[in-house]
Amino acid sequence: MASVEDNIKTSVLLTGPAQTTLFEEMKLLKEMQDPSGDRKAINSELWHACAGPLVFLPQVGSLVYYFPQGHSEQVAVSTKRTATSQIPNYPNLQSQLMCQVHNVTLHADKDTDEIYAQMSLQPVNSERDVFPIPDFGLRLSKHPSEFFCKTLTASDTSTHGGFSVPRRAAEKLFPPLDYTMQPPTQELVVRDLHDNTWTFRHIYRGQPKRHLLTTGWSMFVGSKRLRAGDSVLFIR
């Protein structure tokens, strides 16, 4: 997965001659990312866990600077236009625009689980033009304090194996096993970034004994098209 810093998508409200062209570019980018137009609310805590602790999203109502030309160039890359395609420029726009954040929504690519954020911005002439925007008590969650991330090995993605979970991570994040059972086992129900439910069998077995996710794991790997070197992250 590419770093989230390279994948923060931005939509803005503009006036003037550049409005139509820029809106068309943003609409094309949005359709490529979510062709159905339907989306479920993403778990904010899970999104921030994937983003990492260095990623900061502005609060609704705050001021930011928007760079039209940089956005245009990013759209060209994201929509995979050829190198010979002309990237439009906006000679009548300033190189940077002070804007007020009106909305921030979290997204994840349906095919790759790559995360990004979309922001609605309103240009303002100065800080005096800023007006209060109600947030209805909603705040974007911060990076979770308890999570587990692992880079997958070849055995983790094998159709005949399972996902090996380090003991400390299993004991910290998963519900406790009943070690009076032989072997200790339980059913784990988890939700991914798209609010899809997955059920895994969590078992403690082997020599030496280790925590494994078995039944249901291969289906998850196949559906997500995971390979060795990809990463999987769990939060409690």
Side-chain angles (χ1 to χ4, degrees), residues 2-232:
S3 64
V4 71
E5 290 88 345
D6 296 331
N7 293 281
I8 298 293
K9 311 298 191 298
T10 309
S11 67
V12 334
L13 305 175
L14 288 180
T15 57
Q19 182 180 30
T20 302
T21 303
L22 192 54
F23 273 174
E24 289 175 351
E25 292 178 355
M26 293 188 298
K27 183 179 179 182
L28 174 61
L29 179 59
K30 184 176 186 298
E31 289 174 350
M32 292 183 68
Q33 291 160 350
D34 189 6
S36 68
D38 299 326
R39 65 181 297 270
K40 297 179 181 179
I42 286 181
N43 182 306
S44 178
E45 192 174 16
L46 182 57
W47 190 97
H48 280 83
C50 294
L54 300 181
V55 172
F56 170 80
L57 294 179
Q59 294 290 341
V60 170
S62 63
L63 290 176
V64 298
Y65 280 100
Y66 170 65
F67 301 89
Q69 189 64 24
H71 185 194
S72 176
E73 293 171 1
Q74 184 185 51
V75 169
V77 173
S78 301
T79 55
K80 298 181 180 179
R81 296 181 183 178
T82 62
T84 57
S85 297
Q86 181 179 1
I87 300 175
N89 55 45
Y90 308 101
N92 296 326
L93 285 179
Q94 302 174 13
S95 61
Q96 61 184 31
L97 302 173
M98 180 184 292
C99 299
Q100 185 178 19
V101 179
H102 278 225
N103 187 46
V104 179
T105 53
L106 308 179
H107 298 260
D109 187 275
K110 291 184 177 180
D111 295 324
T112 65
D113 279 356
E114 182 178 67
I115 60 170
Y116 59 98
Q118 186 174 23
M119 289 170 257
S120 297
L121 309 178
Q122 176 66 50
V124 295
N125 292 322
S126 69
E127 295 183 8
R128 294 191 298 272
D129 297 330
V130 173
F131 58 92
I133 299 177
D135 58 14
F136 303 103
L138 298 177
R139 287 289 187 271
L140 293 173
S141 297
K142 301 301 182 182
H143 194 273
S145 58
E146 295 187 358
F147 70 97
F148 157 61
C149 183
K150 181 185 178 184
T151 301
L152 300 179
T153 64
S155 61
D156 288 330
T157 57
S158 169
T159 56
H160 303 293
F163 177 59
S164 178
V165 184
R167 180 179 60 83
R168 288 186 179 181
E171 293 176 350
K172 185 177 182 180
L173 294 181
F174 296 164
L177 286 168
D178 182 358
Y179 288 98
T180 64
M181 297 175 58
Q182 291 302 322
T185 182
Q186 67 179 337
E187 194 175 75
L188 287 180
V189 179
V190 302
R191 293 184 182 273
D192 64 16
L193 279 164
H194 310 284
D195 205 36
N196 299 316
T197 300
W198 301 89
T199 303
F200 305 132
R201 186 186 187 210
H202 173 208
I203 190 169
Y204 186 63
R205 70 181 184 192
Q207 284 297 332
K209 291 187 180 296
R210 55 182 179 154
H211 292 269
L212 294 169
L213 300 185
T214 55
T215 305
W217 176 254
S218 293
M219 183 181 297
F220 178 78
V221 168
S223 177
K224 297 290 187 179
R225 299 193 293 273
L226 297 174
R227 298 179 296 177
D230 291 336
S231 295
V232 173

